[in-house]
Amino acid sequence: MTQRSQDWWKQARRDLDTAAENRANDRHEWACFAAHQAAEKAVKALHLAAGQEAWGHVVARLLTESPTPAPKELVESGRVLDNFYVPARYPNGHAEGAPFEHYGPIQSELALSHARHILDFVDQALAER
């Protein structure tokens, strides 16, 4: 099987850049979703680098099952990001209103902060492999 961990890692970093760009352009719902995607892909890169397959979109679970033990606070960061996976994209993710009406600079900064912490963890774990 071809080793694809670096492809996942590079895309994770690009997704984080996309999240920051969306935040700067007041597209906070997309910033939140892209931050989630960055974290998800980064943790999957870590699994792949260890020869493991990782499935699903729950960042907290992916961190819990990580080949490099993740600190509890990082798993909590994953839980925050997991809340942006569906409702930041779909109009039926909230009781009413379009997704963009539910997300602003506070949420997108929070999402970016948590994603950055997860990417920093993965970056260090990959460097130690």
Side-chain angles (χ1 to χ4, degrees):
M1 181 163 88
T2 304
Q3 174 55 271
R4 301 290 307 267
S5 64
Q6 280 302 306
D7 296 336
W8 283 83
W9 176 238
K10 289 188 294 189
Q11 191 62 50
R13 292 191 330 239
R14 186 173 175 92
D15 287 355
L16 189 64
D17 290 343
T18 297
E21 291 168 6
N22 278 310
R23 184 176 193 281
N25 290 311
D26 292 324
R27 300 199 180 277
H28 301 288
E29 77 281 15
W30 282 110
C32 291
F33 175 67
H36 172 276
Q37 289 295 283
E40 177 187 331
K41 291 171 188 169
V43 180
K44 285 182 176 181
L46 184 54
H47 281 270
L48 289 168
Q52 301 175 348
E53 287 197 44
W55 294 97
H57 307 286
V58 180
V59 176
R61 183 184 54 76
L62 292 167
L63 283 164
T64 300
E65 298 171 355
S66 169
T68 300
K72 288 181 182 180
E73 61 271 9
L74 210 61
V75 174
E76 292 302 316
S77 288
R79 286 190 176 118
V80 171
L81 291 170
D82 288 336
N83 286 293
F84 299 129
Y85 181 67
V86 172
R89 296 179 293 148
Y90 296 105
N92 62 348
H94 295 277
E96 64 178 52
F100 76 90
E101 296 173 307
H102 294 273
Y103 300 91
I106 292 172
Q107 291 85 3
S108 61
E109 181 54 38
L110 180 67
L112 276 162
S113 176
H114 286 294
R116 285 183 187 116
H117 286 119
I118 291 170
L119 267 72
D120 288 346
F121 167 78
V122 171
D123 189 32
Q124 183 176 359
L126 289 172
E128 293 173 0
R129 293 206 152 268

